[in-house]
């Protein structure tokens, strides 16, 4: 693949419908024998959109976050994002943001508490649309991520924002599932990144075989998407365009935490396109970011130099 480093600093606008506060309880890094209940507590800004934004920042992009912020958790999330040097275009959120508390002291991640955010009101949706649209017009790429839970923002919101942004001349990358993913396709999104599980959930493929997933990708391209990237966990991703299907493979890495690989991949694709790379090289950069993220503690984090060097080891093979 071509050189992934550029002297220009790309500008990325990220739609973050549900910024979350993530609290993690872990074994203490240093045992001080003060109490049998001693643990470490870590707090992070999180949720899909913020993980995408963090990785994009790690890759050298100038990142702006557009989302609703309110309540106790919203103020804390905003403060953390300010500390990371991110531009935050905040929309007032009357009820307030949600969050998770995870216990990581055992073999599996245990959810101790979950406070889901409520649906955005019609006025909050209007404010979010206007803020995100105007910011996208000043950016090289708009990256659209979904809400969690899915009912916070209606699918029609994503379709309208994507259609209007593309009509104004800004490239749009979407990482969506369910009805919002189909709305993005109908709005002719430039690139849709979707996992193989999400393809199955939409009843677009009867199984996880490459043949079924390629057929689903082709159907989405025929419906309106410029290109579809199907991530497949540890298996090679599939890049489906009008005139070609490619398999994108990374060297095997033993994961520390498999979560966040897809979000990091989306960030890499978005930053690559914002730098002016062609789609194949942008997807290779995304595959590198996703593969290396699973070898780290901390979702959406990475080292730009390492990711760009590893991108040269990504294999892209035309299969049809």
């Amino acid at each position: 693949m071509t050189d992934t480093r550029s002297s220009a600093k790309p500008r990325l606008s990220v739609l973050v419908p549900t910024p979350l506060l993530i609290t993690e309880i872990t074994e203490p890094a240093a045992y001080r024998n003060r109490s049998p209940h001693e643990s470490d507590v870590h707090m992070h800004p999180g949720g899909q959109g913020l993980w995408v934004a963090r990785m994009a920042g790690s890759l050298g992009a100038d990142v702006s976050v557009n989302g609703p912020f309110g309540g106790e958790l919203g103020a804390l999330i905003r403060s953390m994002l300010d500390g990371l040097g991110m531009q935050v275009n905040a929309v007032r959120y009357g009820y307030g943001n949600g969050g998770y508390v995870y216990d990581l002291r055992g073999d599996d991640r245990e959810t101790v508490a979950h406070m889901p955010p409520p649906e955005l009101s019609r006025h909050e949706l209007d404010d979010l649309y206007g803020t995100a649209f105007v910011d996208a017009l000043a950016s090289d790429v708009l990256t659209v991520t979904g809400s969690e839970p899915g009912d916070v923002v209606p699918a029609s919101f994503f379709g309208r924002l994507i259609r209007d942004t593309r009509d104004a001349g800004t490239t749009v990358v979407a990482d969506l599932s369910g009805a919002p993913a189909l709305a993005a396709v109908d709005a002719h999104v430039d690139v849709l990144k979707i996992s193989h599980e999400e393809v199955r959930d939409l009843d677009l493929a009867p199984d996880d075989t490459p043949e079924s997933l390629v057929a689903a990708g082709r159907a989405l391209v025929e419906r309106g998407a410029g290109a579809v990237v199907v991530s497949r966990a540890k298996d090679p991703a599939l890049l489906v365009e009008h005139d070609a299907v490619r398999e994108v493979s990374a060297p095997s890495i033993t994961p520390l935490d498999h979560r966040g690989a897809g979000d990091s991949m989306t960030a890499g694709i978005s930053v690559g396109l914002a730098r002016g790379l062609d789609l194949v090289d942008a997807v290779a950069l995304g595959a590198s970011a996703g593969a290396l993220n699973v070898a780290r503690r901390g979702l959406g984090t990475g080292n730009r130099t390492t990711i760009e060097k590893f991108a040269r080891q990504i294999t892209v093979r035309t299969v049809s």
Side-chain angles (χ1 to χ4, degrees):
M1 63 171 290
T2 58
D3 186 3
T4 57
R5 185 176 292 276
S6 171
S7 58
K9 191 166 188 178
R11 190 176 193 282
L12 201 68
S13 176
V14 184
L15 175 70
V16 185
T18 48
L20 302 173
L21 180 67
I22 308 298
T23 303
E24 296 177 332
I25 307 167
T26 68
E27 295 288 351
Y31 288 91
R32 296 173 288 269
N33 297 320
R34 293 176 181 170
S35 164
H37 303 294
E38 181 180 349
S39 299
D40 285 350
V41 177
H42 306 273
M43 304 182 77
H44 313 281
Q48 182 194 17
L50 293 185
W51 291 322
V52 169
R54 288 194 67 182
M55 176 57 77
S58 297
L59 287 169
D62 183 5
V63 181
S64 56
V65 168
N66 301 274
F69 293 85
E72 295 176 344
L73 300 192
L76 185 53
I77 297 167
R78 281 203 64 180
S79 177
M80 290 178 170
L81 294 177
D82 289 340
L84 292 171
M86 288 189 190
Q87 176 185 327
V88 179
N89 301 318
V91 172
R92 184 180 177 277
Y93 198 6
Y95 184 87
N97 298 83
Y100 282 91
V101 178
Y102 294 116
D103 189 341
L104 307 183
R105 292 172 295 182
D107 293 333
D108 298 315
R109 175 180 296 266
E110 178 185 350
T111 301
V112 177
H114 174 211
M115 184 172 78
E119 299 177 23
L120 294 177
S121 71
R122 61 176 183 166
H123 295 302
E124 290 164 347
L125 285 171
D126 289 345
D127 288 343
L128 181 59
Y129 170 84
T131 298
F133 178 62
V134 171
D135 188 60
L137 300 189
S139 303
D140 297 303
V141 170
L142 168 65
T143 304
V144 176
T145 64
S147 63
E148 194 281 314
D151 61 0
V152 176
V153 176
S156 59
F157 176 92
F158 298 101
R160 184 163 60 104
L161 178 62
I162 291 168
R163 181 178 298 105
D164 291 350
T165 300
R166 287 198 71 255
D167 286 348
T170 299
T171 299
V172 182
V173 175
D175 189 339
L176 297 168
S177 60
L182 296 180
V185 170
D186 291 338
H188 302 287
V189 66
D190 293 283
V191 181
L192 173 68
K193 206 287 291 181
I194 188 168
S195 74
H196 68 284
E197 295 101 333
E198 292 160 349
V199 171
R200 292 284 305 277
D201 289 343
L202 284 170
D203 293 326
L204 295 175
D207 51 49
D208 292 336
T209 63
E211 294 78 13
S212 294
L213 295 173
V214 166
R218 282 178 166 152
L220 291 172
V221 168
E222 290 174 3
R223 181 165 171 167
V228 176
V229 178
V230 182
S231 59
R232 302 169 60 216
K234 67 180 184 302
D235 294 322
L238 299 169
L239 169 58
V240 182
E241 299 180 82
H242 283 283
D243 57 353
V245 176
R246 296 177 175 89
E247 187 180 78
V248 184
S249 306
S252 178
I253 295 177
T254 301
L256 285 176
D257 189 344
H258 70 278
R259 300 176 315 121
D263 300 329
S264 294
M265 183 180 201
T266 298
I269 294 170
S270 301
V271 172
L273 292 176
R275 290 182 187 176
L277 298 181
D278 65 30
L279 180 57
V280 172
D281 285 344
V283 172
L285 181 64
S288 176
L292 286 175
N293 186 243
V294 303
R296 296 174 62 91
R297 295 176 178 87
L299 278 65
T301 62
N303 178 279
R304 176 181 177 179
T305 299
T306 303
I307 291 170
E308 290 174 341
K309 286 182 177 179
F310 191 62
R312 300 168 192 155
Q313 306 302 317
I314 301 299
T315 300
V316 180
R317 182 174 68 91
T318 301
V319 294
S320 66

